[in-house]
């Protein structure tokens, strides 16, 4: 049944979403890998944290060559994580606890074990089976050179040569990520229809939306021309504007179709794009009213932790999306980048940054474990599993360091994460002080701070951002007026303490501050929320 659009703000326009890296959240089966039943058992924790929704990283059938971002069947659950019944139970229990559920959609590529790709390898060049992927003849004598100069985001060339049925070296296929992740050809209507079938499959089961993996990558430039920026790519360092692999105009048509599909389920199902597109206007084009609802604004995650850089990142993002009438989706951490507490230089900085982010207008995504202030882990080489480690010839450690399973309780690994002797990645012994259990009982812990921030945000914060001018050098501040009470956020990312003249009442602070109702003393790398007098 069609719904009638109303103009009111939807839940997602100011939601806080907890990203759960499924392998690392909670294990119920005892194999050392997190799973759906483990996540279900921890829903009370998420509800108490105060988030509105949970985004679950891929749970689909997969050989796990890129930990689930290599999907062999997008409409089946990998036994590693549970069953379809677990998904149904997760959705029902989450909804019962007031939480929405977003799944992770991986449309750019499949696993090499997807039946489609198995069929493509067995079929001849030019066949319908090959046409679902990007198979091309090689260049040079004998087709020995890759079809173009594109690299893989994970290191090395972006093409792999196959052996044809007659045993001879044959065509090449494109994989912008690992060789186990062949790129689909999004100019193929069969590929488009299949993704829509996947969307419906999960929407019919009651899920609230999707985080769309590599949302800027699906459509490639016609003719697959050489890359004018042929340097080594990493996910967050490649130039997106002008590259033939990324941010091609044709991708917008895909999202217009998906938006119509989601809208047919009512106004509350949501698409969130993973969009590594730097130019704010080009980024905003993806969240026009008839495309994705939301898209991660990685500008803030990538900004240096200074007042000037944050002001620029926040201001540019807000200005660009305001022009299309969409909110900005803030994010400071995920399973692809080093943990915030290490990236920003200290747990204090991560506390300040999270408090500041949560005072911005629009939705925010929190990466599970950042609310505990977990640092990046230097995973011993023998335990590293991220394909980046192998493909970089052991020069780039990869992303395992931000994926170490969460410490829940107890004083030694595996800290209540699993009943197995060890988790799939080893946890540092020093995490004994950072467990959920330890932080629950500590009023000054990062967990209690984030929980408090979410409660205050829900109760008070609303309205647009207005910058505070005239603050001391290196300090950034803004007002939010329009919620149930005005709130002023002041962020001191510098290494020095500062005094700020500000009349009001202290609401929350990331560190011990001094305040007499008129002068706020902010220690180094700290943030405070005030309610103006
Ligand atoms: C996205 C995911 C990342 C994955 C890649 C390939 O960027 O966040 O973890 O490796 O896509 O699917």
């Amino acid at each position: 049944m069609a719904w009638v659009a109303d103009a009111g703000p939807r839940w997602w326009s100011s939601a806080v979403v907890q990203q759960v890296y499924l392998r690392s959240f909670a294990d119920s089966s005892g194999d050392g890998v997190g799973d759906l039943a483990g996540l279900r058992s921890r829903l009370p924790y998420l509800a108490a944290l105060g988030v509105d929704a949970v985004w679950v990283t891929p749970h689909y059938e997969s050989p796990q060559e890129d930990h689930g971002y290599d999907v062999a069947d997008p409409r089946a659950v990998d036994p590693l994580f549970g069953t379809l019944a677990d998904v149904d139970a997760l959705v029902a229990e989450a909804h019962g606890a007031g939480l929405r559920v977003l799944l992770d959609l991986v449309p750019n590529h499949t696993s090499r074990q997807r039946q489609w790709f198995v069929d493509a390898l067995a079929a001849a060049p030019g066949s319908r089976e090959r046409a679902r992927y990007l198979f091309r003849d090689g260049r040079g004598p004998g087709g020995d050179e890759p079809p173009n100069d594109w690299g893989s985001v994970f290191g090395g060339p972006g093409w792999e040569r196959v052996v044809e049925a007659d045993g001879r070296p044959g065509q090449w296929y494109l994989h912008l990520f690992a060789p186990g992740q062949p790129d689909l050809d999004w100019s193929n209507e069969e590929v488009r229809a299949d993704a829509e079938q996947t969307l419906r499959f999960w929407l019919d089961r009651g899920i609230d939306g999707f985080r769309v993996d590599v949302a800027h990558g699906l459509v490639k430039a016609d003719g697959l021309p050489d890359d004018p920026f042929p340097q080594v790519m990493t996910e967050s360092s490649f130039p997106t504007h002008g590259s033939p692999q990324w941010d091609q105009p044709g991708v917008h048509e895909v999202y217009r179709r998906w938006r119509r599909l989601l809208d047919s389920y009512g106004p509350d199902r949501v698409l969130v794009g993973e969009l590594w597109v730097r130019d704010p206007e080009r980024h905003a084009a993806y969240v026009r009213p008839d495309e994705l609802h939301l898209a991660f604004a990685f500008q803030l995650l990538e900004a240096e932790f200074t007042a000037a850089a944050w002001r620029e990142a926040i201001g540019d993002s807000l200005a660009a999306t305001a022009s299309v009438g969409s909110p900005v989706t803030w994010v400071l951490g995920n399973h692809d980048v080093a943990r915030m507490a290490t990236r920003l230089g200290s747990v204090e900085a991560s506390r300040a940054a999270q408090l500041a982010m949560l005072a911005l207008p629009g939705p925010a995504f929190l990466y599970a474990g950042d609310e505990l202030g977990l640092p990046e882990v230097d995973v011993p080489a023998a335990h590293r599993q991220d394909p980046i480690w192998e493909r970089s010839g052991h020069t780039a450690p990869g992303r395992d360091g931000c994926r170490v399973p969460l410490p829940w309780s107890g004083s030694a690994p595996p800290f209540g994460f699993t009943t197995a002797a060890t988790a799939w990645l080893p946890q540092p012994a020093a995490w004994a002080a950072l467990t959920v259990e330890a932080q629950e009982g500590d009023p000054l812990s990062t967990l209690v701070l984030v929980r408090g921030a979410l409660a205050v945000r829900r109760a008070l914060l609303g309205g647009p951002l207005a910058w505070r001018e005239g603050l001391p050098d290196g300090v950034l501040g803004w007002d939010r007026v329009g919620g149930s009470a005005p709130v002023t956020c002041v962020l001191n990312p510098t290494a020095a303490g500062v005094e700020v003249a500000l009349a009001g009442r202290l609401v929350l602070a990331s560190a011990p501050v001094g305040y007499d109702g008129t002068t706020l003393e902010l220690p180094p790398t700290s943030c405070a929320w005030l309610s103006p007098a």
Side-chain angles (χ1 to χ4, degrees), residues 158 187 189 207 213 288 327 378 454 468 472 507:
S187 68
E189 180 53 34
I207 66 109
D213 191 60
R288 288 177 285 196
D378 185 12
L454 292 179
R468 281 244 159 188
V507 175

Side-chain angles (χ1 to χ4, degrees), residues 21 55 66 69-70 104 106 109 154 177 181 211 213-214 235 274 276 334-336 386-387 399 403:
Y21 193 66
W55 149 32
D66 185 23
Y69 286 97
D70 49 319
D104 208 320
V106 189
H109 43 264
F154 291 165
F177 295 89
Q181 296 167 296
R211 174 262 191 188
D213 191 60
V214 200
E235 193 140 22
E274 185 211 19
W276 292 98
N334 64 32
H335 64 294
D336 293 326
D386 186 358
R399 301 161 295 177
R403 298 173 174 183

Side-chain angles (χ1 to χ4, degrees), residues 20-31:
V20 162
Y21 193 66
L22 189 55
R23 300 177 69 85
S24 300
F25 194 67
D27 172 29
S28 80
S29 67
D31 63 358

Side-chain angles (χ1 to χ4, degrees), residues 26 36 38 74 82 229 233 245 290 320 344 371 375 383 401 445 447 458:
L36 292 163
F229 306 101
M233 295 195 287
Q245 304 93 325
D290 60 347
L344 300 182
E371 83 279 18
H383 290 278
S445 70
L447 174 58
R458 192 183 289 266

Side-chain angles (χ1 to χ4, degrees), residues 46-282:
L46 295 174
L49 182 60
V51 297
D52 302 284
V54 52
W55 149 32
V56 189
T57 57
H59 62 290
Y60 315 106
E61 207 174 284
S62 161
Q64 305 289 318
E65 290 190 72
D66 185 23
H67 294 339
Y69 286 97
D70 49 319
V71 179
D73 184 344
R75 299 183 283 275
V77 177
D78 197 293
L80 183 65
F81 299 125
T83 64
L84 213 44
D86 284 317
V87 176
D88 292 342
L90 171 69
V91 172
E93 289 165 11
H95 286 174
L99 297 164
R100 315 228 184 200
V101 179
L102 308 183
L103 299 180
D104 208 320
L105 189 80
V106 189
N108 180 67
H109 43 264
T110 72
S111 160
R112 60 174 139 206
Q113 288 187 20
R114 181 159 178 181
Q115 193 58 45
W116 269 6
F117 194 71
V118 174
D119 293 345
L121 289 182
S127 59
R128 173 185 169 189
E129 287 79 4
R130 291 238 166 143
R132 296 171 182 138
Y133 292 90
L134 290 161
F135 280 87
R136 294 289 184 274
D137 293 331
R139 293 201 281 209
D144 288 346
E145 302 289 324
N148 70 23
D149 66 355
W150 296 2
S152 153
V153 173
F154 291 165
W159 295 89
E160 184 93 349
R161 196 168 196 188
V162 303
V163 178
E164 300 296 354
D166 62 7
R168 280 192 292 196
Q171 287 196 301
W172 300 70
Y173 70 86
L174 179 69
H175 59 87
L176 288 182
F177 295 89
Q181 296 167 296
D183 281 58
L184 289 162
D185 184 348
W186 271 85
S187 68
N188 184 331
E189 180 53 34
E190 202 187 348
V191 168
R192 293 178 183 230
D194 181 77
E196 289 169 20
Q197 196 187 332
T198 299
L199 289 170
R200 288 187 188 284
F201 180 87
W202 297 106
L203 290 168
D204 287 343
R205 303 196 90 84
I207 66 109
D208 300 286
F210 300 90
R211 174 262 191 188
V212 182
D213 191 60
V214 200
H216 57 308
L218 278 46
V219 173
K220 278 75 177 173
D222 275 347
L224 310 184
D226 278 342
D227 186 351
F229 306 101
Q231 80 274 18
V232 175
M233 295 195 287
T234 66
E235 193 140 22
S236 52
S237 76
F238 56 75
T240 50
H241 185 33
S243 304
Q245 304 93 325
W246 313 108
D247 190 25
Q248 295 297 311
V251 79
H252 293 283
E253 177 52 26
V254 174
Y255 299 130
R256 283 193 278 270
R257 276 174 61 163
W258 290 8
R259 180 59 178 260
R260 287 196 294 275
L261 191 159
L262 260 80
D263 282 350
S264 74
Y265 285 81
D268 284 330
R269 313 285 184 114
V270 60
L271 294 166
V272 188
E274 185 211 19
L275 217 57
W276 292 98
V277 173
R278 291 211 162 60
D279 178 81
E281 274 75 36
R282 296 187 71 87

